[in-house]
Amino acid sequence: MRKKLTPLLEWGTLLITTGLVCFFLVVILWDLVSKGASSLSWNFVSSLPTQGMTSGGILPAITGTVLLTMITALVAAPFGVSCAIYLNEYAADNWLTRLIRASIRNLAGVPSIIYGLFGLALFVQGLQMGTSLLSAGLTLGLLSLPYIIITTEEALRRIPASTREAALAVGATQFESIRDVVVPSAMPGMLTGLVLTLSRAAGETAPILFTGVAFYINNPSGYLNQEFMALPYHLYMLSTQHQAIEAVRPLAYGTALVLLIVVFLLNLTAFYIRYKYSKNE
Amino acid sequence: MSNDLVKLSAKGVNLWFGNKQVLKNISVDFEPNKVTALIGPSGCGKSTLLRAFNRMHDLSPDARIEGKFMLENQDLYEKGLSVTQLRRRIGMVFQKANPFPKSIYENINYGLKINDIPKAERPGIIENALRESYIWEEVKDELEKPATRLSGGQQQRLCIARTVALRPEVILMDEPCSALDPLSTLKIEELIVKLKKDFTIVIVTHNMQQAQRVADKTVFMYLGEIIEEGQTKDMFANPKNELTANYVKGHFG
């Protein structure tokens, strides 16, 4: 009897856990869509906010978040990938490397508000960049670095030694072997890590709070040296700080929905790139 | 040293991984245009010895090597010697087929490219290498297909073609058939016998029938030492050492 019941119990527990996770996901999505869909319109995503945010669109917040994410990628990807390649391919396995690796893992656990304060001290004040798109992008870049390093290193580690040796055996230098064989093989994993990191960065509020985000600007964000609007901050303001919270609630839901769509599109891009790579293998 | 009968040699070689000594006072000569098999039980150091010849241990920081490795008159561990040049003269085929994640054509083209072989010559070299490795007929219509879609045996022949294309003097093979089915194994063995016309081949194998089928000479290793070496026929028929006798009869391994 026990032999029969136990597998059923194990199977059931796992199924219920999975179901529970999916259930919450569906509830959140349903809540957002049902309350936000009505505010979605071409006008909502293509025009500036008007009348103290109670009507009009959220175009500056969309462009702000998109540009911010691009700057984050430009800052974090080259440094993060290079660092991961160094750590995984070149660095000797000694106490120094282990210390560096442990530090990076710890950095990934630092709360994002700390990055915000650090960005304020370093970029906004120290380097005199002011509260601006650039300062915020650099801050988010710093926040993303440890994640990109960790995921890239994981992707590189999955490439077997025999792949590297194949290149060396035909006369490639270590650098050529990494550039031509190892990195292309690891690319799907690296891109997944990169995009997941960026979609997380796109939704961050705390790091940009002190470094450049603004509640309202009257032009589509787009200047590196100026403040900008961003979706997550806009959402935060609409849902907690606005003087007419009840009135702007549909707009807040609409904003949340747009943020979700932006993140979803990013993930879709990653999915597409991975698909293309896997077809070439 | 310029003995016509020695292409590749090791003299007084000791090799450690960390504190563990894996090769003990190895001295061995390989004759040109012959197939020499390295046999012995797992962990006897035969793969380690093979990989020392094209300096595959260079990237393992815990490997320490003593002794002399020579390719004709060239000291393989000479200071200032270009490892990439050396590896062009001593090619290698690995235990598990490891084609690049590129097309069949690119798999061979890559080696030519990084060795600066003129672009105009490459297509001819590639076709020739595929023909020499008896895989041309199977892949000639789909050279742009990813190499990873080939069968295991085809992949391994492609890896041999990739090595052959660079015209090395020596080809090292590290159990090239251990992951293949009997039919693919047979094809590769035929290929090896044909290739010795142009190349000196050293093959590590676990399979004693294989050693007898392909090798002119055989070297038996045990616990990091060479126990016996000689003509393959003699060694399998009349092993001089008791360990060799037990091994070739399959009493341990």
Side-chain angles (χ1 to χ4, degrees):
Chain A
M1 196 59 197
R2 251 192 86 216
K3 277 260 182 248
K4 261 191 170 172
L5 260 178
T6 327
L8 205 69
L9 209 66
E10 290 162 353
W11 178 77
T13 315
L14 294 175
L15 185 76
I16 290 170
T17 320
T18 313
L20 211 61
V21 173
C22 292
F23 172 73
F24 283 118
L25 186 69
V26 170
V27 167
I28 292 170
L29 277 177
W30 174 249
D31 190 49
L32 277 177
V33 173
S34 64
K35 292 178 180 157
S38 59
S39 350
L40 278 193
S41 67
W42 176 244
N43 191 42
F44 186 64
V45 295
S46 67
S47 60
L48 301 175
T50 50
Q51 293 163 14
M53 303 283 174
T54 53
S55 67
I58 54 166
L59 177 67
I62 297 176
T63 53
T65 287
V66 169
L67 286 171
L68 186 67
T69 311
M70 280 162 64
I71 296 173
T72 306
L74 286 177
V75 172
F79 283 105
V81 169
S82 309
C83 181
I85 289 176
Y86 171 75
L87 283 177
N88 198 57
E89 305 290 326
Y90 288 98
D93 186 24
N94 55 26
W95 65 270
L96 184 66
T97 312
R98 284 194 286 273
L99 182 70
I100 293 174
R101 203 171 273 136
S103 311
I104 290 168
R105 275 169 207 276
N106 280 328
L107 273 182
V110 170
S112 56
I113 187 78
I114 310 280
Y115 279 96
L117 288 169
F118 181 73
L120 173 69
L122 181 64
F123 301 121
V124 178
Q125 292 176 340
L127 297 174
Q128 295 288 310
M129 291 177 190
T131 47
S132 62
L133 188 57
L134 185 63
S135 296
L138 288 169
T139 308
L140 273 186
L142 284 187
L143 171 89
S144 308
L145 258 180
Y147 293 93
I148 292 181
I149 296 171
I150 292 168
T151 52
T152 306
E153 223 194 325
E154 291 297 333
L156 291 171
R157 197 170 300 147
R158 276 200 293 270
I159 307 303
S162 68
T163 304
R164 296 175 174 81
E165 289 172 351
L168 296 179
V170 294
T173 60
Q174 196 185 356
F175 179 74
E176 285 168 333
S177 129
I178 293 166
R179 183 193 62 194
D180 302 329
V181 179
V182 178
V183 168
S185 308
M187 197 54 97
M190 286 166 58
L191 285 174
T192 309
L194 178 66
V195 174
L196 287 180
T197 305
L198 288 181
S199 59
R200 184 191 163 221
E204 278 289 350
T205 315
I208 57 177
L209 197 58
F210 316 122
T211 52
V213 79
F215 176 44
Y216 174 71
I217 54 166
N218 60 357
N219 58 48
S221 328
Y223 297 96
L224 279 182
N225 59 353
Q226 283 181 14
E227 294 189 349
F228 61 99
M229 285 175 72
L231 288 169
Y233 184 68
H234 192 66
L235 176 57
Y236 166 72
M237 293 305 280
L238 288 190
S239 32
T240 61
Q241 308 292 307
H242 201 276
Q243 73 274 21
I245 283 188
E246 287 307 322
V248 296
R249 183 111 319 155
L251 293 181
Y253 274 105
T255 308
L257 204 54
V258 171
L259 177 58
L260 215 64
I261 292 171
V262 170
V263 170
F264 179 71
L265 285 178
L266 264 174
N267 284 299
L268 211 63
T269 321
F271 185 77
Y272 176 71
I273 298 173
R274 271 213 313 282
Y275 170 74
K276 269 193 70 177
Y277 259 96
S278 68
K279 257 179 53 178
N280 289 332
E281 255 170 33
Chain B
M1 280 299 281
S2 59
N3 184 343
D4 280 352
L5 286 177
V6 180
K7 182 74 188 177
L8 186 71
S9 68
K11 262 203 181 46
V13 168
N14 291 295
L15 188 150
W16 292 263
F17 284 126
N19 293 323
K20 190 169 178 280
Q21 186 165 7
V22 185
L23 297 178
K24 294 170 193 160
N25 195 25
I26 297 276
S27 292
V28 63
D29 294 339
F30 298 106
E31 292 174 32
N33 298 96
K34 289 261 159 62
V35 178
T36 307
L38 296 178
I39 62 169
S42 300
C44 72
K46 53 196 191 302
S47 287
T48 306
L49 174 62
L50 191 78
R51 294 163 60 87
F53 280 107
N54 71 342
R55 292 183 53 175
M56 277 290 158
H57 299 304
D58 281 18
L59 290 183
S60 334
D62 62 338
R64 191 157 60 81
I65 303 178
E66 263 176 15
K68 243 185 166 47
F69 292 87
M70 304 288 289
L71 174 63
E72 292 179 340
N73 293 321
Q74 174 66 57
D75 183 342
L76 298 178
Y77 282 79
E78 187 185 292
K79 264 214 162 71
L81 175 73
S82 149
V83 189
T84 54
Q85 288 297 319
L86 151 76
R87 290 191 183 130
R88 214 191 134 176
R89 295 181 66 190
I90 304 181
M92 185 155 194
V93 175
F94 297 83
Q95 185 167 1
K96 206 174 151 286
N98 51 0
F100 302 126
K102 301 170 189 280
S103 70
I104 294 170
Y105 187 88
E106 265 307 308
N107 256 276
I108 303 179
N109 193 37
Y110 179 66
L112 305 178
K113 206 159 65 184
I114 54 170
N115 284 296
D116 298 320
I117 287 167
K119 224 175 183 161
E121 294 173 22
R122 291 183 207 159
I125 296 177
I126 292 168
E127 180 176 339
N128 191 38
L130 288 168
R131 281 187 193 283
E132 271 182 297
S133 312
Y134 297 95
I135 187 177
W136 172 253
E137 289 303 324
E138 291 159 61
V139 301
K140 65 179 175 191
D141 296 323
E142 41 186 18
L143 292 174
E144 291 310 314
K145 195 168 97 165
T148 43
R149 300 241 185 96
L150 294 170
S151 76
Q154 289 174 323
Q155 288 189 16
Q156 193 62 295
R157 275 179 285 148
L158 179 66
C159 290
I160 294 176
R162 173 173 81 190
T163 308
V164 165
L166 292 168
R167 307 319 295 175
E169 296 159 50
V170 177
I171 300 180
L172 307 171
M173 297 187 171
D174 190 0
E175 299 186 42
C177 304
S178 64
L180 301 181
D181 60 275
L183 206 69
S184 305
T185 300
L186 204 68
K187 280 192 182 158
I188 300 224
E189 286 177 4
E190 285 171 11
L191 174 58
I192 291 170
V193 173
K194 285 183 175 135
L195 286 175
K196 73 176 177 185
K197 177 166 62 72
D198 299 315
F199 308 95
T200 301
I201 295 172
V202 183
I203 178 173
V204 164
T205 178
H206 254 118
N207 181 328
M208 271 165 293
Q209 282 74 36
Q210 182 168 66
Q212 294 181 66
R213 285 192 297 257
V214 302
D216 304 295
K217 293 191 72 179
T218 297
V219 176
F220 172 64
M221 291 178 69
Y222 184 67
L223 297 178
E225 290 178 86
I226 291 180
I227 304 296
E228 189 171 342
E229 57 182 306
Q231 298 298 322
T232 304
K233 280 202 190 81
D234 300 343
M235 196 156 125
F236 279 89
N238 304 302
K240 293 185 196 77
N241 189 295
E242 200 179 334
L243 273 170
T244 321
N246 284 331
Y247 184 73
V248 300
K249 283 179 198 150
H251 291 178
F252 71 100

